[in-house]
């Protein structure tokens, strides 16, 4: 088998056999194929995509490149929730404790902020003392005792995916539905889950800008799950405007706390409850989705989700008091108000622009080597559809230094569109794929 | 400037600025951008192509990566001829001596066989003693004294192209019109030519399978030439069947000799004369193309082209007697006749299959590291359109050992298509682009 022939066939739109895909991934992981051939292959995949059979073979060989996690000694259904990433998307930190409070075990492997989107690990690390680098034993212990544990990706789980992802990141080949699906699903399947709830974001603030692409990704991931015997459902949810009001790491932890205390934003609460309900349903804690929804709502109302997140924080070395006393979290030193130039209706809040502005003042990173400022970010004062007067506060930028602040403010201003008539209301949960 | 952003913009079909293209080529040549990013960029170019402006910038920066050859001390017009490569294509070895006999200086940088196509250097090296690795001074001396000199590509001329070509070869990104044009034209412009005749082959035996692609390539190359002030014309010529009857290195030298003695195949003679005429015309030895055609024909009839090739062979260390005594060339030890299974008309002879079969028995190479057997190849006994009886000899395979002979014979048999009615005659010279 010659690598260049496989690249050429993929380039020409042909389907490679499962053996050929496996050979490529294995040889690359062992260092027998150079990066420059695989990056050309990945770009060919970007343009020609892969069939379900090819993606399946890639997933299998990426799993086989590392160790599978064995959670069988821990009682209870193991169900994870994964979001493709958005702006202000802190649903993991709400739905996971709610599901855990209902008896689901949630072994969550999370990522970091990149580009305009945030990362659950960065958000949690804004909590003083919180450790995301647990050993496998520590991780299992937290999962067993508390029910919800969070770690970063390790080198032992799907190392092939780690190596491929780093290459994709440097070669503009991240945005391929086939490659995104293979990357996510190989990690999830290696975890030995019983159920998986996927939140596929669509809109300006998401990687998928068009609903047809989001649907393809959702279908591909649920197909891979089904073939592997993993119960999975995907929600396709709106990411045209940021989710909730807070964007930025410590700011989002504060909003998570409010939401788990039943006083959070309506959109964030709704999606988080629906995700939690589906985790509970897939974990077979409830016989029907309706029953699962009732359980999730009860766990929110009675504060047991809120208590569960405190337990996870404490178990992973953090100070759980931060959820009550926000002064214990990193706080910004200044706030800049952005006012509306005129009255009217908020017809759009471009989530990507808000995310980029927030990243620009330190909440995110341009490259993986950049460090994060946990205190900074944006708090919206309005949401799409709202009627405002001229001069009303649209949002506030929370900053710790004024580098790039003016630039970020301009970006944020441009993100708000004001029109004379009310916009059509937009569905929050657009589709369910299972 | 970040490489990944430039890859992404090209991937998305955007045009890069000349400065951005130059930066990419320069940084890559200096080793500041890794292979894996450039190969992803090249694959993106394969799918999205490049604008004339982008190709122009790439050509300029590839030229600037090395030294230009200074031929100004040598009197006379310098005109080269370049073919995009075909099966049985030995026109360079006929048209160049004819043009040189007419007073044109032909400084030819040639390539080697790869895949199903032959290379002029390999053909010449089948002549005992012939040296293609002349120093620049030796090359200039032969050019000055004889008028026709041939060398392989050096490391000092367009090293960026050399580096990029090696990467393209390993990553299935050779077949991009924009990249082919940039590669050819950077080398030609670095030579400081006065004129250039391009022979763009189209058909199964050529890299360009469709005439529309061949036309694009021809237009792009002549546009680049015009902008650089180089007089250039391109012929688009048929490569559905092999050119002439001989395929294989020494076998083609024999056919070159016959053709320069006015007893060669009609198709090969016609194309070679037309190419020579245009070299003579672009070199301003003749005032009109008609006059140039008369000169080329005269140089063929009076044997001065034939003498000129002998002079070049002698000047480059080879034995010129090979053109008279074919027993001085490497000769095959056996011949295998391929007979027609039935009578009828030859409706097609698939040039690519013939080229691959010839390569398979040793006339070509699969990879650049393979060695060549100069003696072997194929001699056709028929051409497309000819009427034959059942059992007639279609061609002979000349071999020195029987490795892969049966496989090659099968391939050759499949290459001939026999039909009951005569095929439409096909034009040999399809278009002229200037």
């Amino acid at each position: 088998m010659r690598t260049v022939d496989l690249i050429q066939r993929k380039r020409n739109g042909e389907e490679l056999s499962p053996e050929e895909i496996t050979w490529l991934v294995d040889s690359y992981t062992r260092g027998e194929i150079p990066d420059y051939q695989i990056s050309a292959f990945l770009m060919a995949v970007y343009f020609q995509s892969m069939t379900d059979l090819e993606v399946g073979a890639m997933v299998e060989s990426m799993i086989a490149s590392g160790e599978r996690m064995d959670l069988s000694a821990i009682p209870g259904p193991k169900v994870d929730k994964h979001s493709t990433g958005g702006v202000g998307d802190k649903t993991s930190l709400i739905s996971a404790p709610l599901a855990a409070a209902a008896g689901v075990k949630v072994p969550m492997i999370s990522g970091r902020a990149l580009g305009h989107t945030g990362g659950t690990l960065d958000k949690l690390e804004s909590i003083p003392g919180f450790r995301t680098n647990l050993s496998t034993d520590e991780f299992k212990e937290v999962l067993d005792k508390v029910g919800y544990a969070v770690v970063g990706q390790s080198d032992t789980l799907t190392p092939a995916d780690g190596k491929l992802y780093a290459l994709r990141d440097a070669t503009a080949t991240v945005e391929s539905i086939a490659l995104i699906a293979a990357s996510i699903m190989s990690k999830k399947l290696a975890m030995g889950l019983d159920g998986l709830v996927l939140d596929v974001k669509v809109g300006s603030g998401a990687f998928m800008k068009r609903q047809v692409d989001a649907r393809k990704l959702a279908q591909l991931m649920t197909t891979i799950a089904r073939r592997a015997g993993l119960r999975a459902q995907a929600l396709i949810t709106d990411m045209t405007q940021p989710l909730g009001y807070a964007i930025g790491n410590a700011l989002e932890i504060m909003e998570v706390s409010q939401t788990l205390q039943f006083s959070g934003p309506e959109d964030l609460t709704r999606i988080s409850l629906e995700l939690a309900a589906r985790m509970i349903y897939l974990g077979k804690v409830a016989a029907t989705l309706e029953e699962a929804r009732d359980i999730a709502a009860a766990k929110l109302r009675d504060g047991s989700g809120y208590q569960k997140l405190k337990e996870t924080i404490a178990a992973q070395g953090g100070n759980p008091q931060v959820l009550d006393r926000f002064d214990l979290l990193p706080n910004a030193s200044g706030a800049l108000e952005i006012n509306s130039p005129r009255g009217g209706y908020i017809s759009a809040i471009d989530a990507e622009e808000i995310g980029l502005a927030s990243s620009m003042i330190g909440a995110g990173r341009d490259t993986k080597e950049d460090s994060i400022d946990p205190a900074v970010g944006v708090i919206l004062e309005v949401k799409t559809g709202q009627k405002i007067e001229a001069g009303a506060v649209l949002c506030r930028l929370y900053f710790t230094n004024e580098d790039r602040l003016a630039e970020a403010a301009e970006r944020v201003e441009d993100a708000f569109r004001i029109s004379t008539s009310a916009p059509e209301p937009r569905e929050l949960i657009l589709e369910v794929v299972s």
Side-chain angles (χ1 to χ4, degrees), chain A:
Chain A
M1 224 173 294
R2 293 203 315 154
T3 308
V4 63
D5 296 332
L6 301 185
I7 302 171
Q8 178 158 345
R9 284 175 43 215
K10 177 43 67 190
R11 185 199 77 186
N12 294 347
E14 293 173 34
E15 181 181 45
L16 302 188
S17 72
E19 293 70 32
E20 288 167 333
I21 294 283
T22 302
W23 181 83
L24 273 180
V25 174
D26 288 358
S27 306
Y28 179 57
T29 311
R30 285 197 303 265
E32 290 163 14
I33 298 178
D35 286 338
Y36 61 80
Q37 288 190 309
I38 296 299
S39 63
F41 175 78
L42 294 169
M43 187 59 86
V45 169
Y46 174 87
F47 283 99
Q48 298 287 13
S49 193
M50 291 200 287
T51 63
D52 288 3
L53 203 65
E54 289 176 310
V55 175
M58 185 172 243
V59 166
E60 279 306 313
S61 52
M62 293 204 295
I63 295 171
S65 74
E67 294 166 16
R68 288 172 189 263
M69 193 172 287
D70 182 7
L71 301 175
S72 59
I74 297 168
K78 287 85 188 177
V79 181
D80 194 7
K81 173 258 165 193
H82 182 87
S83 162
T84 58
V87 177
D89 180 11
K90 67 280 286 177
T91 54
S92 287
L93 295 174
I94 302 163
S95 57
L98 289 174
V104 173
K105 293 290 195 299
V106 187
M108 192 175 274
I109 298 200
S110 287
R112 296 196 176 275
L114 199 61
H116 64 278
T117 65
T120 300
L121 290 188
D122 294 314
K123 293 171 195 176
L124 285 169
E125 285 176 356
S126 71
I127 300 171
F130 196 97
R131 288 176 51 221
T132 56
N133 60 342
L134 304 183
S135 70
T136 303
D137 285 343
E138 288 174 318
F139 177 70
K140 287 183 183 174
E141 200 190 319
V142 176
L143 184 65
D144 191 20
K145 271 176 44 188
V146 180
Y148 173 37
V150 192
V151 279
Q153 210 192 325
S154 76
D155 294 337
T156 53
L157 206 74
T158 63
D161 174 63
K163 196 172 172 184
L164 282 169
Y165 194 88
L167 189 60
R168 287 166 58 202
D169 190 47
T171 57
T173 49
V174 167
E175 295 95 338
S176 150
I177 289 173
L179 295 174
I180 291 172
S183 175
I184 293 174
M185 294 310 294
S186 65
K187 281 179 282 195
K188 297 304 169 189
L189 290 173
M191 288 293 288
L193 299 170
D194 299 302
L196 175 64
V197 178
L198 294 156
D199 183 6
V200 180
K201 299 284 184 199
V202 62
S204 87
F207 283 119
M208 299 290 132
K209 307 295 181 195
R210 302 181 313 157
Q211 195 163 335
V212 58
D213 292 330
R215 189 180 304 129
K216 264 193 217 157
L217 177 58
Q219 284 167 344
L220 184 51
M221 291 195 292
T222 51
T223 299
I224 295 168
R226 190 169 49 247
R227 290 196 180 157
L230 169 64
R231 294 191 294 279
Q233 294 189 344
L235 302 185
I236 299 178
T237 64
D238 181 58
M239 186 35 71
T240 50
Q241 65 175 333
L243 196 54
Y245 291 92
I247 300 101
N249 298 285
L251 297 175
E252 294 192 41
I253 294 292
M254 299 175 200
E255 193 170 65
V256 162
S257 175
Q258 290 162 342
T259 307
L260 281 170
Q261 292 177 83
F262 213 17
S263 58
E266 195 264 336
D267 58 348
L268 178 62
T269 304
R270 256 189 66 205
I271 292 196
S272 301
L273 276 174
E274 184 64 20
L275 292 167
R278 288 178 187 268
M279 292 169 79
I280 291 164
Y281 174 66
L282 289 184
K284 296 188 177 169
V285 170
T288 66
L289 182 57
E290 269 318 301
E291 194 191 321
R293 282 180 179 137
D294 290 343
I295 295 174
K299 297 301 172 188
L300 181 66
R301 272 194 311 269
D302 70 9
S304 54
Y306 175 66
Q307 286 307 323
K308 188 55 73 183
L309 183 58
K310 280 192 169 180
E311 287 173 42
T312 295
I313 293 172
Q316 298 200 202
N319 180 358
Q321 281 190 289
V322 295
L323 294 194
D324 303 311
R325 289 184 46 200
F326 295 164
D327 60 310
L328 296 176
L329 285 165
N331 273 270
S333 55
L336 177 68
E337 244 176 54
I338 306 291
N339 302 95
S340 181
R342 61 180 180 282
Y345 290 90
I346 308 286
S347 60
I349 306 174
D350 188 315
E352 183 166 25
E353 293 300 309
I354 299 281
L356 286 171
S358 174
S359 181
M360 205 174 262
I361 56 173
R365 32 173 94 75
D366 286 339
T367 71
K368 277 181 288 191
E369 290 69 36
D370 292 349
S371 66
I372 288 244
D373 184 341
V376 304
V378 177
I379 302 270
L380 305 181
E381 293 296 325
V382 295
K383 296 279 284 190
T384 303
Q386 218 166 305
K387 191 162 191 268
I388 52 153
E389 306 294 321
V393 180
L394 297 174
C395 70
R396 287 186 180 82
L397 269 69
Y398 290 85
F399 59 91
T400 55
N401 71 62
E402 300 195 10
D403 292 351
R404 305 184 78 188
L405 181 63
E407 197 188 338
E410 220 171 276
R411 224 178 230 284
V412 161
E413 253 187 87
D414 290 346
F416 288 86
R417 252 134 273 163
I418 320 285
S419 63
T420 50
S421 57
E424 283 291 304
R426 200 177 151 83
E427 283 298 323
L428 194 56
I429 298 173
L430 301 160
E431 279 181 61
V432 178
V433 176
S434 60

